[in-house]
Amino acid sequence: MKVRCAAQDGPLFEPVGVVVSDLQPFEPITLSLSFRDDGGVLWASRATFAADHNGEVSTDTHPAQSGTYSGVDPHGLFWSAYPTNHETLLQDVLNGAPGTLAPAIEPLAPYCWHLTITTSSGSTTPLTIARRRKLTSTRELRPPSPMQGLLFEPDVPNGASVVVLGGSEGGVFPARAALLTASGFRTLALAYFQHDGLPDIDRNLPLEYFHSALQWLKSTSTGRIGLIGVSRGSEAAQLTALQWPELVDALILWVPSHMVNCGLDLAGGSDFRTEHSAMWTLSETPIKGVNFLEEDLQNTEISDHDFRTLNGRRYADEFERAWQAALDERRIPIENYKGPVLSIAGTEDALWPSALGAEEITSARTPQTGPRHLAIYDNAGHLIGTPNEPRPFPWLMHWHGGYMGIDNGFCAYGGTREGAALAARQSWKKQTDFLRKYLT
């Protein structure tokens, strides 16, 4: 038996291409992958194949007949890995077991996989495969710097820079930014609340902060700048691009809203239903946002119950009703931004209707107002991560410690594992192609 691997060490999005040859024609073999995360938990995946008439199996072209995924998927062994305790993990957390539900491994940790190939005769061949998000140097920006976050410098820069804004989880959103540097982009994962020297709450956040970050990045580079906003960060990205278009050469909006929404005092125990304060300000003036309809605010029975089930609490329907009923002044006039815009969403988003938001953003723009691009993925929810990362529960997020007023409960994100994995891989390529086209 011989084993070839196209890339044993490289960025997460790069195909691995395991080929096993010198087998008996139609011989069954099993490929198993495993690694341990920072907490020592073992993650594992497996797939059984049948050799072709030449005695060869390729993960690029041969279908997995059984295992943690099925069918032809060159990346299936990677994204389909589960924690070995996954069958009890959700229920244990729901029942109040110590710890929290980890939906993915640590954002910047390498995936050092151990591949084992087992033949019908019982012989095995071990192989180590490393997949990485962070391939470059990192600089942490802390006070007294005017902005906070992580700056990733590529080994082979292409001259362009990108700013990445996360959503209502706060802090730094590093995984996407780190992996972009593998394609040559100088990338800043910018924190804008719940981080050192920044506000603890997601309310009354000045857009001038994003302006300062873009100005600083512009002053330290010579190329074009792209701005990426994820979820609630999509609002900040659009508003910033509209206010200072000379600093934003391209805009990417992941699972976006086309409306300005009210802010959140997450630590104060409020949720989407009960907060009425503005999220963003400009020149110290609050920008009015959308809140839920009064009849939805009065309906509290569903909220508490669904948080305590493995279905999770859905907000998408309430957001859609609020968006549809909102005054037009709450809509972000993205047609006034003349640069290129790419909107990405999933049809099964259960947190808010990002597919609707992405479609509204795209339809508001015409070929005359600026380039527009749209990518909507079936069976994908609110969590469209970076490609080939193992996400055991992408349709569900555990909230704890008073987050959104919940000490221990679940919020529904929607979609399926297979849908999230495919959307992540395809949208990553679309994002990278878009950035290269308009920034380099």
Side-chain angles (χ1 to χ4, degrees), residues 43-385:
W43 293 57
S45 65
R46 60 184 296 274
T48 299
F49 300 85
D52 60 22
H53 65 280
N54 294 318
E56 184 173 281
V57 167
S58 169
T59 57
D60 287 352
T61 57
H62 288 70
Q65 298 178 340
S66 62
T68 51
Y69 80 98
S70 61
V72 178
D73 189 336
H75 309 273
L77 280 169
F78 295 88
W79 64 258
S80 70
Y82 276 105
T84 51
N85 62 344
H86 73 275
E87 292 183 352
T88 60
L89 184 58
L90 284 171
Q91 193 63 52
D92 286 348
V93 171
L94 187 63
N95 292 336
T100 61
L101 175 65
I105 66 170
E106 197 279 321
L108 299 182
Y111 296 69
C112 293
W113 300 90
H114 300 286
L115 172 66
T116 301
I117 302 168
T118 306
T119 66
S120 57
S121 64
S123 64
T124 63
T125 300
L127 188 68
T128 299
I129 301 173
R131 303 283 88 188
R132 307 175 190 276
R133 288 194 187 97
K134 181 179 178 294
L135 293 93
T136 58
S137 61
T138 307
R139 174 184 169 190
E140 186 173 7
L141 304 178
R142 301 174 62 89
S145 169
M147 72 286 304
Q148 314 304 317
L150 293 173
L151 180 66
F152 298 91
E153 299 280 3
D155 290 335
V156 184
N158 61 22
S161 300
V162 179
V163 178
V164 177
L165 308 178
S168 58
E169 72 281 350
V172 179
F173 197 72
R176 195 177 307 275
L179 196 55
L180 274 171
T181 60
S183 298
F185 297 98
R186 185 182 189 225
T187 311
L188 171 61
L190 183 67
Y192 55 92
F193 80 104
Q194 285 195 349
H195 197 67
D196 291 347
L198 296 173
D200 291 331
I201 59 176
D202 204 359
R203 295 189 303 180
N204 297 317
L205 302 176
L207 294 180
E208 287 84 356
Y209 173 76
F210 305 106
H211 177 233
S212 296
L214 289 167
Q215 280 189 314
W216 176 83
L217 201 58
K218 190 74 170 180
S219 70
T220 59
S221 59
T222 57
R224 296 176 177 177
I225 297 177
L227 182 56
I228 295 176
V230 181
S231 191
R232 293 303 296 265
S234 70
E235 297 176 33
Q238 292 175 80
L239 294 169
T240 301
L242 284 166
Q243 192 65 32
W244 298 283
E246 71 280 2
L247 294 174
V248 181
D249 297 295
L251 191 60
I252 298 180
L253 309 171
W254 290 82
V255 291
S257 169
H258 64 298
M259 310 290 287
V260 178
N261 296 276
C262 285
L264 294 166
D265 181 1
L266 306 181
S270 69
D271 68 6
F272 298 117
R273 303 164 56 83
T274 57
E275 184 59 70
H276 296 270
S277 300
M279 185 166 182
W280 317 107
T281 67
L282 181 63
S283 301
E284 300 183 352
T285 300
I287 299 175
K288 294 180 179 180
V290 174
N291 198 33
F292 287 167
L293 300 181
E294 187 61 32
E295 52 265 38
D296 284 325
L297 295 175
Q298 297 301 320
N299 184 12
T300 59
E301 295 180 3
I302 298 176
S303 178
D304 290 340
H305 171 73
D306 286 353
F307 270 126
R308 306 301 178 182
T309 73
L310 295 181
N311 293 324
R313 174 70 167 92
R314 292 178 58 95
Y315 284 101
D317 293 342
E318 289 159 297
F319 268 112
E320 182 167 359
R321 286 191 289 269
W323 288 355
Q324 299 287 17
L327 298 174
D328 192 58
E329 66 185 32
R330 306 292 193 269
R331 186 183 70 84
I332 301 171
I334 192 60
E335 63 274 14
N336 294 333
Y337 172 67
K338 305 307 180 185
V341 178
L342 168 62
S343 300
I344 299 169
T347 60
E348 303 301 316
D349 194 331
L351 183 63
W352 68 10
S354 60
L356 171 63
E359 289 169 346
E360 292 288 340
I361 289 166
T362 304
S363 64
R365 297 168 58 82
T366 66
Q368 290 71 41
T369 59
R372 56 180 185 171
H373 301 262
L374 177 65
I376 296 181
Y377 298 95
D378 292 335
N379 303 315
H382 195 72
L383 186 58
I384 301 178

Side-chain angles (χ1 to χ4, degrees), residues 379-437:
N379 303 315
H382 195 72
L383 186 58
I384 301 178
T386 50
N388 305 327
E389 59 180 330
R391 289 271 184 176
F393 318 112
W395 61 87
L396 201 62
M397 183 61 68
H398 179 232
W399 286 354
H400 61 95
Y403 184 81
M404 295 285 192
I406 299 299
D407 288 325
N408 184 41
F410 293 101
C411 178
Y413 271 27
T416 65
R417 291 196 82 201
E418 294 79 6
L422 182 61
R425 189 162 65 248
Q426 292 183 348
S427 62
W428 185 266
K429 183 179 186 305
K430 189 171 290 290
Q431 167 195 250
T432 307
D433 290 346
F434 176 87
L435 291 172
R436 285 176 174 148
K437 178 177 180 179

